[in-house]
Amino acid sequence: MTVSSTMIKLLYILKKEFLLIIRDVHAVTVLFILPAVFILIMTLAMKDLFELHSSVVIDILAVNHDSGKRSVAFLKAMEEHNTFRFHLIEKDTVTESVKEQMLSRDYKFALIIKNNFSAFVNKKGKEKEKNPLELLVNPTVPVQTQLVLKSTLDGELSKLRWDAFIGRIDKLLAFAGIDKKDLKADKLSPIDVQYVYKGGHYSKMPSAVQQSVPAWLVFSMFFIVIPISNTFISERDQGTFMRLRSMNVPNSYLILGKMIPYLLINAVQVIFMIAIGVYVVPLCGGTALTIGDSLGGLILIASAVSFSAISVALLIASIARTTEQATTIGAVLNIIFGALGGLMVPKFVMPVFMQNLANFSPMSWGLEGFLDIFLRNGGVSDVLPKSLSLLALGLVMLGMTLIVLRRQRKV
Amino acid sequence: MIKIEHLCKSYDKKPVLKDVTISIQSGSIMGLLGPNGAGKTTLLSILIGVIRKDSGSITVNGMDLDHEIGAIQTRCSYVPQTLAFYPRLTARENLEYFGALRDLKGKKLKESMEFCIDIGSIQDFLNKRVDKFSGGMKRRLNMAIGLLNDPEILYLDEPTLGVDAQSRNYILKTIKKINSERKTTIIYTSHYMDEIEQVSDEIAIIDEGKLILHGAKQDILTRADTLCGHRNLEELFLKLTNIRLRDEN
């Protein structure tokens, strides 16, 4: 058999598989539409969960009865935390009306700055001893959140009072030769926050989009089992397989005829899902996916995931007796290994024993490989161990498939 | 010529072909009859090299099946009783695909396809998806695919299963035509006795893995007359194979 004859056969096999896939609405749905929808939903739904370490904004209804400058400075200082956003209402709004507005406009907090605020800070005037702030709280707010707001209010108020005190004694300080700037409260927090992860090494946290895109991409790549087993078992049940065997078509052609088209389909999935993360997610209010700068690493890990997914699918398809059996086995395995491998629930929120268990899932190898590229700016050397594991798994599965097919032929 | 000698085959120690010996003349049409589970499909599967025999020898046009399976498969063609093609492809795409796997390309593929399109009478539906075809059209396409390589030997496994009278008549005429024009040896299995009577030159009856009758059609019909009182193949078949139901388990 010449090379050109082999190529022509392979081209027709590829054409056939592509046409079968394109015309199979269910396969297109499972391979492209379902994961794309998952990426969008999960990215947007889990946005806050994944952004625990970045800015969280608490909206607060506020009324300022104070006519001094101190209350304005106080609100400004509070907003500089980037955590609180004050929505000021009419100065003369009475407390009952503030409560009504808070409930009707669904605010969790309302802050009433009393007319003695500046007097309290400056320690001047008749009402300098009365409490200058009143915080209205929706009882459904977690105690921790209440404490965060109360502490910040206390802190900013104390800073303001300290600065006012320094201002009052500036002549005294000048006489003592002390620069009052050295005594002023720091504007920025003097605390460095550092997250500590298991194993002691620094691990960058994924954003919602950076977790969702590779997770659902790997999941959808392994879902190739559905169309592969559909065509494989249909070919067997409809006698097409027997016809092909009677035409002296070797098993290797039948296997290659399945592998090459689905490798290409997996490649299209990779491009499609990345495009969703980069271009579509931002349009829906999420942050855009960043894909690192190692094209080689990306191709390596994507090829390894694809090879192992197709090999697993071929083994399932060759063992299963019916399409229903194959799709059930395939779907169940995918969901179990997906859940175990940190695709559905991110690994970093799992307890330690579950994180250790996740390492047994090939989907986790694939996910971590993609995260190496997208999140940790890794390259070929970073994804090589995971890729080799996936390729080894694929080779074992493929070997088992060939043994099963050979046994079926010998019957 | 196909020469089968002392052929045996078992599945899980259950014998399905027991010491079958038969010769089929080149250029003839042999009707292979047998109740369900008699071993017809197993015999065809061994002849086309899809499953392996346990013992015995088979030569096809002088070539040993054990040693020259590739060459034999290139010269033969098998049309399964199932509709063995891709329903989501068009008739043209199916023919192109199976033609390419038969090593046909360019002008040769085109000519071969034209012949098969004509034989299958599917000219007007070439670009239509096959899952939209009627039962008869599907059967004709199934057979047309089997003719792409212009085979010396054609194995037809119940080619008229589930079709209307018109398509059945067309398929039977086509089988006769291919045999007479191209001198193709045809091995034909069916449950329809009238079909076998209509197209076959030779008839073989197989039951419970054993060849119980083989000969020229006229000789078989004469034997039916002797045994049953009239030249009726169905009555002879029932007499030889017993009227017991053959539900497979």
Side-chain angles (χ1 to χ4, degrees):
Chain A
M1 202 175 293
T2 62
V3 176
S4 74
S5 153
T6 307
M7 283 307 295
I8 288 171
K9 282 185 183 179
L10 277 176
L11 283 176
Y12 272 99
I13 290 171
L14 292 182
K15 184 184 168 188
K16 181 260 294 181
E17 289 292 341
F18 273 115
L19 288 173
L20 290 179
I21 278 279
I22 291 164
R23 292 172 189 173
D24 184 353
V25 181
H26 299 110
V28 172
T29 307
V30 166
L31 296 182
F32 292 97
I33 298 170
L34 192 71
V37 171
F38 265 130
I39 285 173
L40 287 174
I41 293 173
M42 294 302 180
T43 300
L44 299 176
M46 298 200 292
K47 205 172 148 212
D48 291 344
L49 172 72
F50 281 83
E51 288 168 4
L52 282 174
H53 306 295
S54 62
S55 60
V56 174
V57 174
I58 298 172
D59 287 293
I60 302 160
L61 190 68
V63 57
N64 188 358
H65 296 301
D66 182 53
S67 49
K69 287 179 187 170
R70 295 293 185 187
S71 56
V72 177
F74 174 73
L75 288 173
K76 192 174 169 233
M78 283 296 290
E79 287 202 316
E80 279 172 1
H81 285 269
N82 290 328
T83 306
F84 311 105
R85 192 161 48 204
F86 291 93
H87 301 267
L88 280 167
I89 53 173
E90 288 295 317
K91 203 176 172 70
D92 51 1
T93 312
V94 295
T95 302
E96 281 312 307
S97 176
V98 175
K99 286 178 184 172
E100 278 171 22
Q101 286 196 48
M102 180 184 157
L103 294 173
S104 66
R105 292 166 69 181
D106 201 26
Y107 281 98
K108 304 295 178 202
F109 297 103
L111 181 69
I112 298 168
I113 301 174
K114 294 182 181 171
N115 56 5
N116 67 325
F117 186 88
S118 290
F120 178 83
V121 172
N122 295 330
K123 282 274 183 187
K124 278 182 186 171
K126 274 193 257 175
E127 295 184 309
K128 64 182 183 188
E129 298 301 328
K130 278 173 67 182
N131 283 346
L133 294 174
E134 187 175 356
L135 186 64
L136 310 180
V137 183
N138 184 316
T140 61
V141 176
V143 177
Q144 296 93 320
T145 313
Q146 295 178 40
L147 284 173
V148 167
L149 178 58
K150 273 183 74 181
S151 304
T152 315
L153 289 169
D154 280 338
E156 286 305 327
L157 189 57
S158 299
K159 276 190 205 172
L160 215 55
R161 293 184 77 190
W162 174 253
D163 287 345
F165 171 69
I166 297 297
R168 287 201 299 275
I169 60 166
D170 59 344
K171 282 180 187 164
L172 195 62
L173 292 171
F175 181 73
I178 300 167
D179 188 348
K180 70 177 180 183
K181 282 181 190 165
D182 292 339
L183 297 173
K184 283 219 165 189
D186 294 319
K187 285 223 165 184
L188 296 171
S189 171
I191 304 163
D192 287 329
V193 177
Q194 194 182 345
Y195 297 102
V196 180
Y197 296 93
K198 182 182 162 281
H201 55 79
Y202 171 75
S203 176
K204 205 170 172 183
M205 299 287 291
S207 66
V209 71
Q210 270 164 319
Q211 165 72 20
S212 293
V213 171
W216 297 109
L217 171 60
V218 170
F219 194 67
S220 67
M221 286 171 83
F222 271 88
F223 251 98
I224 207 92
V225 66
I226 305 279
I228 284 187
S229 52
N230 268 338
T231 53
F232 199 92
I233 292 168
S234 296
E235 279 175 337
R236 197 178 60 198
D237 291 351
Q238 288 171 358
T240 319
F241 221 46
M242 194 168 168
R243 177 172 239 161
L244 293 172
R245 282 173 168 179
S246 77
M247 288 163 61
N248 197 23
V249 179
N251 278 340
S252 56
Y253 270 61
L254 300 177
I255 295 291
L256 270 180
K258 291 276 172 267
M259 292 215 84
I260 298 172
Y262 286 101
L263 279 168
L264 293 173
I265 285 165
N266 275 163
V268 175
Q269 281 184 300
V270 173
I271 296 166
F272 185 69
M273 300 310 156
I274 288 176
I276 295 275
V278 173
Y279 301 110
V280 183
V281 169
L283 293 178
C284 301
T287 50
L289 175 77
T290 55
I291 55 170
D293 50 13
S294 175
L295 184 62
L298 181 59
I299 291 172
L300 178 62
I301 190 69
S303 307
V305 172
S306 179
F307 179 69
S308 64
I310 293 168
S311 302
V312 170
L314 283 172
L315 181 63
I316 292 171
S318 59
I319 291 171
R321 288 174 190 272
T322 62
T323 312
E324 290 76 18
Q325 212 176 53
T327 50
T328 306
I329 294 169
V332 168
L333 284 178
N334 274 4
I335 291 165
I336 290 172
F337 280 107
L340 196 66
L343 275 72
M344 293 167 187
V345 179
K347 247 166 101 173
F348 66 86
V349 301
M350 291 180 178
V352 175
F353 82 96
M354 285 300 291
Q355 288 189 22
N356 292 332
L357 213 57
N359 295 329
F360 290 100
S361 166
M363 289 186 173
S364 170
W365 312 339
L367 174 62
E368 288 302 317
F370 279 113
L371 288 175
D372 281 344
I373 303 293
F374 293 164
L375 187 67
R376 299 164 197 133
N377 279 321
V380 172
S381 58
D382 297 295
V383 296
L384 195 60
K386 291 140 196 153
S387 303
L388 288 175
S389 304
L390 286 161
L391 290 171
L393 172 78
L395 283 173
V396 171
M397 296 290 118
L398 201 58
M400 288 168 74
T401 306
L402 283 169
I403 290 169
V404 171
L405 289 179
R406 204 161 288 162
R407 284 188 65 180
Q408 286 171 355
R409 201 162 194 164
K410 275 183 187 170
V411 171
Chain B
M1 185 185 199
I2 302 169
K3 210 169 166 184
I4 301 168
E5 288 182 326
H6 307 295
L7 176 65
C8 294
K9 174 72 187 171
S10 301
Y11 291 128
D12 298 327
K13 295 182 181 172
K14 185 186 169 196
V16 282
L17 289 176
K18 301 169 189 165
D19 198 30
V20 174
T21 297
I22 186 171
S23 292
I24 302 153
Q25 295 302 315
S26 289
S28 66
I29 301 178
M30 192 194 79
L32 184 60
L33 285 170
N36 287 336
K40 302 187 296 292
T41 302
T42 302
L43 178 60
L44 287 194
S45 302
I46 291 171
L47 286 170
I48 59 171
V50 168
I51 59 171
R52 292 189 182 178
K53 59 185 168 59
D54 294 341
S55 61
S57 70
I58 298 171
T59 54
V60 178
N61 290 351
M63 292 177 286
D64 187 276
L65 188 75
D66 290 336
H67 302 107
E68 292 169 277
I69 179 78
I72 291 172
Q73 285 182 326
T74 309
R75 289 169 173 81
C76 299
S77 192
Y78 167 63
V79 178
Q81 60 176 283
T82 49
L83 299 166
F85 44 67
Y86 298 96
R88 284 201 297 270
L89 300 187
T90 65
R92 184 192 297 281
E93 286 160 353
N94 269 294
L95 288 167
E96 279 176 351
Y97 171 70
F98 286 104
L101 291 186
R102 281 289 191 189
D103 271 330
L104 299 172
K105 54 189 169 185
K107 199 179 163 197
K108 214 172 162 191
L109 175 62
K110 202 179 163 206
E111 282 173 4
S112 205
M113 278 178 64
E114 275 168 12
F115 168 73
C116 295
I117 290 161
D118 185 48
I119 280 282
S121 191
I122 47 176
Q123 297 87 336
D124 298 335
F125 314 100
L126 266 183
N127 297 315
K128 195 174 170 181
R129 269 173 61 157
V130 178
D131 51 9
K132 306 276 187 278
F133 276 24
S134 69
M137 283 155 68
K138 284 178 183 170
R139 280 280 158 209
R140 291 188 331 252
L141 174 66
N142 202 29
M143 194 167 75
I145 291 169
L147 296 169
L148 278 162
N149 63 327
D150 190 13
E152 292 171 20
I153 301 167
L154 180 63
Y155 298 99
L156 296 169
D157 197 0
E158 302 195 36
T160 58
L161 195 71
V163 299
D164 61 16
Q166 285 76 9
S167 281
R168 190 172 162 209
N169 179 55
Y170 184 87
I171 289 169
L172 295 178
K173 277 188 176 168
T174 306
I175 290 167
K176 286 296 265 184
K177 189 179 163 192
I178 295 163
N179 173 252
S180 62
E181 286 178 5
R182 302 205 161 208
K183 306 294 173 214
T184 309
T185 307
I186 296 173
I187 318 293
Y188 183 104
T189 78
S190 178
H191 286 294
Y192 303 115
M193 305 294 158
D194 56 330
E195 270 183 24
I196 295 285
E197 228 177 295
Q198 196 181 327
V199 298
S200 305
D201 303 316
E202 296 177 40
I203 294 170
I205 297 175
I206 192 167
D207 189 26
E208 293 179 332
K210 283 184 187 164
L211 183 72
I212 54 172
L213 189 69
H214 174 225
K217 180 171 72 180
Q218 292 310 320
D219 295 344
I220 300 281
L221 291 175
T222 305
R223 189 155 177 194
D225 196 13
T226 312
L227 278 173
C228 313
H230 34 238
R231 292 167 69 87
N232 185 302
L233 187 58
E234 186 154 353
E235 279 192 33
L236 176 68
F237 178 79
L238 287 172
K239 196 165 188 82
L240 292 173
T241 60
N242 203 319
I243 55 167
R244 175 173 57 87
L245 290 173
R246 305 302 172 88
D247 298 326
E248 289 173 277
N249 52 30

